[in-house]
Every structure is written in structure tokens, then in C-alpha cells.
Amino acid sequence: MYQEKIKAVLTKEHKDKPTLIQKDTYEAILNGASVVALAKTGTGKTLAYALPVLENAKVGQANSVVIIAPTTELAVQIRKAIDPFTRVLDLTTASLVGAGNRKRQEELLKKNHPEVIVATPGRFFDFFSSGRIKIDQIKSLVIDEADDILEFTKMELLSSLGQNMTSDSQILLFGATNSNITKNAEEVFARTFLLIDVRKSQKSNTKQYFLQVDNAHKIEFLQKMTKLDHFKAILFFDSNQNMLKFAGIFGHTKTKFDLLANDFSKKRREAALHDLATGKTKLLLATDLAARGLDIPDLTYVINFDIPRNVNTYLHRAGRTGRMNKEGFVVSLGDDHDFRDLKKLLADEVEIKRAYFAGYHLSTHKPKKKNKKDKIVEQSKPKTKHKKKKRNNKNKGYHPHYLKVNK
């Protein structure tokens, strides 16, 4: 399995043991089959499709491999993941993303004639419609996060593209959940697909928790969570508006955090992700669109400020932690009504347990209430006098006015 050049890179990156999805899809993709592949998030899907496709790619065949990703962040992430392999195979790669400079991207296509393209849908079809990328050049079309991208973006264009590709080409749909699109892939693309679904065979070390709290005390709970052991988290909101509103309030606390807002520049969004990955910040506020498919090293917590409205959204959020079988925690905040709704929503997927603060970690064991004798003893203890310290009222958090600059 894999060419020697590929094996050498995998060994260097300590990825020489293939994951389940990588093992089960390799031969089919290498032999040119069109595949619908379903696997839990964080289990090596990027290399599962990329490595056999890159092994088949021929130097000099411009635009022969096209990888479509729903967001700029994910496209950049994929590009970084495959770069070591394209280099040893002497293949050239280009990133075509909406947040990038279009003129520079066009020059790269004309000058370098890249064999491998990683693109967001809008920018890809921009160049495709202008003739810079021709349909008969594409030998492998990969649609990452297919369960979402086909539901919401450029569905008709992608369907038409797939139906008009040459008979010797292949289409690969990779995702974490089974949607109407992946279920009906043969009808959508007018070709036969092989289904490879390994989700039930994959183990997970992610714990799914629910912290009961009313809206008035969510900030207090979040501040407490930032003090948990090994805390590094993404806090999810269901809209940009809710996120920005919360940031304006949370910025008056001493908790340091950053934002991943849809309307921020590519540079600023990359800086926010880099600071979280390197530990400069420990909390990132994001929406589902901005955080789709992100891989943050050692992210320990995913927190749902807003309860997800569907299973797909919950599972994609949860997939940001516990990646490659590491320990992770998904914590949803809400009242008793939210808890019942969430349990019902996820009944066939995961088990949600109530959690409680227990020192510097969360526990599913409800803390014992103090009895009257303990309270009397505490009240009878002499109070020690402390010197009053001058309070520094300077806000050390995320100032709301930052939202207005450097977008």
C-alpha cells in the first residue's frame, strides 16, 4: 500500500499506520472507482482520498485532480496536508479560494499549469466558466465535506460538472454523515458509486456532556470552563449575529479569546486559527460555516453556546475535538428543555450525559449537597482580614471595538 516516496513522507510525519477509512478506500480509488466514503471526523479522510489520487496523477496533466472544499480555511488546510506528498511526486498544486487574490491565482494557472487544484466552489466555477479549467482535463474530482457542500452550495453546477466528465474519470464524495445527496449520488451524478461506510467500526474517545445553565449565567459558566485542565476550545454559535453580540459582552471580562467571523479577511482568520493552534489563545468563537472541517491540534473542548438544530451540525461541531482517537469533550449549554430536545435529536447517534464542575474537570457525578452541620461549621469560622487590593479595571479581554477594524 502506497508508493515508496509516499511511505517515506508518512514515516517522517508519524502517519505510517493507515486509519480504517484509508485502508478501506485505497484500492477502489487507486483503481479508478467513483466512491461515496463516510467516516467520522478526524479519522484521516483527507489522506484517504488524496494519496491514491496523487499516486495516479501524471506530471504534466494540468488540472487533472480537483479537490473542492466548502470554505477557504478547509481548502488551505487540505493544501498544507497534501503539499509534502505533491512535492515528492513532482506535482504542482494551486489553491483557488474566494478570499485570495483572483489575478494572482489566474497567473498561477497560466504559468504553472498545476496538476492539482484545491478550491472553494465559487472560485473554481469562476475559472471553469472562463475556460481556464476544461472539463476533459479533470480525471479525479474530490468533493470534501460532501454531506454539506452539496446541500448548500453550487449543487446544480457540481451535478452538471460530474455528469459531463469523461467516462474514464472518477468522482469521490467524502463526508462524516449520510445526507440526501450522498444517498442519491448515482442519480445526482449519473454514474455508479461504490459506498464505503466505516463509521460504525470506528471508536471514539470523545465524551458528550450537557451543562444545565440559564442564559443569564452562561458567561459565568464559560469563564469557569476556561480554567479547566488542558482547556483549548471552540465555542459555537448558530449565527454571526449571535456570536458578535456575545463577543461584545464577553469582551468586558478578563477572558482572552478570538473570533472566526465570516466577514473577516483571510489574513485575520488565519491569525485567529494560528493563535488557537499554538496556544496563544485558548478560546475561539465561531459559527458552523467558518469552522467547517477545521483541524486544530489538541483541541480539547467543543462548546455549543447555541444548541444545534440538526444531527449533521452537532456531529460536525463535535468532530473538531477527539481527532485521531485523542480524548475530547463536547459540552452543550442550555436548560432542561434543551437537554430533552438534544437527547431526542441524537438518540440514534451519541449518548449525552449531564455534567457538573468538579474542581478543574467535569464529572457526570452530581456533587453532594452540604448538610446543615457543615454550613454551621463554615459560618462559625473566624473571618480573616485581607488587605484590599487595588482593582485593575482595565479590560484584558476582547474589546468590542476591535470588531470595527482590521477586518
Side-chain angles (χ1 to χ4, degrees):
M1 185 172 172
Y2 301 133
Q3 298 176 11
E4 290 304 318
K5 289 180 179 179
I6 297 291
K7 286 181 180 179
V9 177
L10 289 170
T11 301
K12 185 178 179 180
E13 295 191 351
H14 307 290
K15 297 176 181 176
D16 47 323
K17 187 177 179 181
T19 65
L20 185 59
I21 188 63
Q22 291 165 3
K23 286 189 290 186
D24 284 14
T25 56
Y26 179 74
E27 290 294 337
I29 296 174
L30 194 69
N31 291 329
S34 290
V35 175
V36 172
L38 302 174
K40 292 180 180 178
T41 53
T43 55
K45 288 195 294 294
T46 300
L47 294 187
Y49 63 68
L51 297 185
V53 161
L54 293 178
E55 285 186 336
N56 277 337
K58 292 180 175 59
V59 176
Q61 281 192 348
N63 311 324
S64 57
V65 176
V66 174
I67 302 171
I68 303 288
T71 66
T72 295
E73 284 76 23
L74 183 54
V76 170
Q77 183 176 289
I78 293 169
R79 168 74 186 270
K80 288 179 179 177
I82 68 173
D83 269 350
F85 303 98
T86 55
R87 280 197 294 268
V88 298
L89 295 173
D90 296 321
L91 299 171
T92 305
T93 309
S95 296
L96 308 180
V97 296
N101 185 297
R102 189 192 185 283
K103 187 175 181 181
R104 190 177 298 125
Q105 291 172 3
E106 187 171 19
E107 288 173 355
L108 286 173
L109 285 176
K110 291 166 63 178
K111 182 180 178 181
N112 297 342
H113 305 290
E115 294 88 357
V116 183
I117 289 173
V118 184
T120 50
R123 186 52 56 90
F124 170 79
F125 283 109
D126 178 7
F127 285 116
F128 181 75
S129 61
S130 65
R132 290 295 175 199
I133 301 169
K134 295 179 171 55
I135 197 164
D136 59 352
Q137 293 177 315
I138 306 171
K139 300 305 176 186
S140 295
L141 173 65
V142 183
I143 302 178
D144 202 350
E145 302 286 351
D147 42 349
D148 278 325
I149 194 171
L150 293 177
E151 293 274 13
F152 302 113
T153 59
K154 311 295 179 184
M155 176 57 207
E156 292 181 2
L157 289 172
L158 284 168
S159 175
S160 177
L161 176 69
Q163 290 183 18
N164 288 286
M165 286 169 59
T166 59
S167 59
D168 62 339
S169 63
Q170 67 183 162
I171 300 174
L172 307 176
L173 308 180
F174 271 70
T177 58
N178 205 2
S179 67
N180 289 331
I181 303 303
T182 52
K183 287 177 184 175
N184 300 317
E186 295 192 348
E187 182 181 339
V188 171
F189 294 101
R191 65 171 61 207
T192 301
F193 282 86
L194 176 64
L195 173 64
I196 301 175
D197 187 350
V198 301
R199 292 172 298 171
K200 289 184 179 179
S201 302
Q202 292 175 312
K203 296 179 180 179
S204 175
N205 284 327
T206 302
K207 295 179 176 62
Q208 318 284 336
Y209 287 160
F210 185 90
L211 271 177
Q212 187 166 331
V213 56
D214 56 28
N215 287 330
H217 293 89
K218 280 186 178 181
I219 288 181
E220 181 185 329
F221 268 51
L222 286 167
Q223 285 181 290
K224 199 170 181 180
M225 286 193 71
T226 61
K227 296 177 174 62
L228 296 175
D229 291 332
H230 312 297
F231 182 85
K232 183 191 283 191
I234 296 180
L235 178 62
F236 279 104
F237 297 82
D238 60 11
S239 71
N240 222 44
Q241 183 180 3
N242 283 357
M243 180 179 68
L244 295 176
K245 182 180 178 181
F246 175 83
I249 300 169
F250 204 49
H252 292 287
T253 70
K254 292 183 179 181
T255 305
K256 189 176 181 181
F257 65 94
D258 213 330
L259 292 176
L260 197 62
N262 300 334
D263 58 345
F264 283 1
S265 67
K266 178 185 174 185
K267 184 177 180 180
R268 180 164 179 185
R269 288 160 73 169
E270 285 179 350
L273 290 171
H274 178 267
D275 287 349
L276 183 65
T278 56
K280 190 174 180 180
T281 56
K282 292 185 177 182
L283 180 63
L284 181 68
L285 277 54
T287 62
D288 296 297
L289 179 62
R292 179 64 70 199
L294 292 180
D295 185 8
I296 307 295
D298 302 316
L299 189 82
T300 47
Y301 285 86
V302 162
I303 308 169
N304 293 316
F305 185 91
D306 294 317
I307 299 296
R309 298 174 183 175
N310 57 65
V311 175
N312 194 349
T313 298
Y314 182 92
L315 294 178
H316 273 291
R317 290 182 183 183
R320 299 315 103 218
T321 187
R323 298 176 72 82
M324 299 306 288
N325 216 30
K326 291 183 179 179
E327 186 178 49
F329 303 89
V330 181
V331 183
S332 300
L333 307 179
D335 57 25
D336 198 53
H337 181 72
D338 293 323
F339 184 47
R340 287 195 301 271
D341 287 349
L342 195 58
K343 285 182 71 175
K344 185 178 180 181
L345 178 70
L346 302 170
D348 298 329
E349 298 291 340
V350 295
E351 182 183 4
I352 307 289
K353 295 182 178 180
R354 284 191 186 275
Y356 309 89
F357 288 104
Y360 293 98
H361 67 277
L362 295 176
S363 172
T364 54
H365 299 292
K366 191 173 183 178
K368 293 180 180 179
K369 291 183 179 180
K370 293 181 179 180
N371 57 43
K372 291 182 180 180
K373 288 184 179 179
D374 292 334
K375 288 182 179 180
I376 293 170
V377 171
E378 282 186 6
Q379 290 172 5
S380 64
K381 285 182 181 179
K383 292 183 180 179
T384 54
K385 292 184 178 180
H386 297 281
K387 291 182 179 180
K388 288 185 178 180
K389 293 182 179 180
K390 290 183 178 179
R391 290 186 64 185
N392 183 358
N393 292 321
K394 184 180 179 182
N395 175 11
K396 295 181 180 179
Y398 190 96
H399 295 265
H401 65 266
Y402 286 3
L403 301 175
K404 300 175 183 178
V405 296
N406 297 327
K407 285 191 175 184

